[in-house]
Structures are given as C-alpha cells and as structure tokens.
Amino acid sequence: MAEMITLVIDGKQVEARQGATILQAARAASIDIPTLCVHQKMLLYGACRICSVEAERNGQVRVVASCGYPVEEGLIVRTRSPRIDRIRKLLLELVAPQAMFQENVGGELRRLADEYGADIHRFEYRLNAKSNRCILCGLCVRYCEEIVGAPAIGFVGRGIERRVVFYPDIARRVFAGGMEWAAEVCPTGKIGAESDSSYFGFTVEDFLADRL
C-alpha cells in the first residue's frame, strides 16, 4: 500500500499517495488548478506551465509546475497569489498570438484569458508570430496516440518551426467516425467538431486540408 503524504493546499489539509503530483493531489481534493496541456486520461506533459503554483517548505517559497512536482510531507501550496496570477497572465499573453483567429482566441484559452485579465494582443506584433490557432500543447497528438491508439496527428519541426500536422492516411481512418474528442481536448478551439461546423467555421475536410 502506498505511503500517504499530508500537505496543505490553499489552507486545506490534503492527503495524497506518495509519488502523486501537487496537481493530482489538488484535483483529488476538489481544488482547481488551471491547465492547458493536461487531460485526466493521459500522461502528464508539462508544456504549458499554466499550472504553476507556489510551494513552500521550511520558509522557502518556490514557483513550480504542479503537474510535475511531487507531493512532500508538510509542503504548503498556494494555487493563487498575486505572483501566480501575474505568471499565468504573462504565459497566456505569450501563447495567445499563436492561437489568434479573427483577432480573438477561443476555447479554454479564452476563458483563462478572461479570468486572469490577459491582454491577448500584448505580444502580437513584438513576437511577430504567425497564428496557426495552435499553442503546441500536444493534447490532440497525445490523445490520438495514447487513447485512440493511432498516431494520426503528430509534431514536425523544431523551435519556431514546430507545428502539428495530420498524417492523412491514418487520419481519414481514425476520424471516419467523427472527431468530437479532438474538439473537446483542444484548448484553443481550433479543432472544430464535424457535427458543428460553426465551431470555428470549418469542417473536418477543411481542417484536414489546412494541415494546421
């Protein structure tokens, strides 16, 4: 039986099994920590850093990614603070230009931008980023591989050239029954559900042809 660890999250005493992450412990205790690259069915990825929290031990406070930081006995965690809110706001402002569509962003990214008061246009011209409505969180890629079991979507390129692509032959087979799951996991709203072509104004065929 796994050893249980006791920590404090937002003033609430929480027990978690040894080896669990702060994010897992928080969610098990119904404490919300926002994420853009985490899905309950998939392995943790650590790409977006929106889940950053303050972790205090022996008076020392560090900002850590809660999805990758293991629980520790006596750890004190704060999921919201002025410092954490500023970090999340900045992260949202930095990724927003990549996800822009018709001068706006969609999905969970839009919701979080509103919650943290992020100016989605702040770095638009400074970064000179070409919007492809994708923040490279990898949720669609990993869901396809880990859950669906068919690598119909993948990453290509490195650095600023990195992007997500469909592998058409596999994608047509995988998405033959619809791609609602892809729309559900996409935090920017890029992937429109076939049953709702108005989701972002394009159909599965348009999406496949566009190649992101």
Side-chain angles (χ1 to χ4, degrees), residues 48-103:
C48 74
R49 302 285 169 170
I50 294 295
C51 69
S52 294
V53 297
E54 287 183 343
E56 179 177 348
R57 185 171 181 79
N58 299 325
Q60 299 293 316
V61 180
R62 300 173 56 197
V63 174
V64 301
S66 66
C67 71
Y69 198 92
V71 294
E72 297 175 359
E73 188 69 35
L75 194 68
I76 299 173
V77 176
R78 288 179 286 277
T79 67
R80 294 290 296 262
S81 71
R83 184 185 189 188
I84 291 300
D85 283 7
R86 285 196 301 272
I87 290 171
R88 289 177 184 161
K89 176 176 178 288
L90 178 61
L91 290 171
L92 292 165
E93 291 172 340
L94 286 170
V95 300
Q98 303 174 58
M100 205 71 74
F101 180 69
Q102 295 182 347
E103 302 298 315

Side-chain angles (χ1 to χ4, degrees), residues 34-48:
T35 63
L36 287 173
C37 70
V38 174
H39 190 285
Q40 61 183 358
K41 294 182 179 179
M42 289 183 275
L43 298 174
L44 297 172
Y45 192 56
C48 74

Side-chain angles (χ1 to χ4, degrees), residues 107-126:
E108 179 68 2
L109 184 59
R110 176 72 267 172
R111 189 190 71 77
L112 291 176
D114 289 340
E115 180 174 346
Y116 290 92
D119 177 2
I120 61 172
H121 300 288
R122 180 180 176 189
F123 296 108
E124 191 172 2
Y125 297 105
R126 191 180 305 178

Side-chain angles (χ1 to χ4, degrees), residues 87-198:
I87 290 171
R88 289 177 184 161
K89 176 176 178 288
L90 178 61
L91 290 171
L92 292 165
E93 291 172 340
L94 286 170
V95 300
Q98 303 174 58
M100 205 71 74
F101 180 69
Q102 295 182 347
E103 302 298 315
N104 207 342
V105 294
E108 179 68 2
L109 184 59
R110 176 72 267 172
R111 189 190 71 77
L112 291 176
D114 289 340
E115 180 174 346
Y116 290 92
D119 177 2
I120 61 172
H121 300 288
R122 180 180 176 189
F123 296 108
E124 191 172 2
Y125 297 105
R126 191 180 305 178
L127 295 177
N128 195 28
K130 181 182 178 182
S131 173
N132 56 16
R133 291 170 282 171
C134 175
I135 60 173
L136 300 176
C137 66
L139 277 174
C140 59
V141 174
R142 291 179 289 126
Y143 194 99
C144 205
E145 185 167 343
E146 294 179 28
I147 308 302
V148 179
I153 311 174
F155 287 116
V156 296
R158 292 183 176 182
I160 61 172
E161 300 297 327
R162 188 170 174 82
R163 66 188 192 281
V164 173
V165 297
F166 275 101
Y167 301 121
D169 291 343
I170 305 175
R172 289 191 177 87
R173 173 169 52 82
V174 170
F175 297 131
M179 55 185 300
E180 287 80 4
W181 63 262
E184 290 173 2
V185 301
C186 178
T188 68
K190 175 176 174 59
I191 304 178
E194 185 177 18
S195 59
D196 181 9
S197 61
S198 64

Side-chain angles (χ1 to χ4, degrees), residues 1-6 15-21 24 70-72:
M1 185 175 179
E3 181 181 347
M4 298 304 290
I5 301 294
T6 301
E15 282 199 339
R17 61 174 174 75
Q18 188 175 34
T21 66
Q24 290 170 330
V71 294
E72 297 175 359

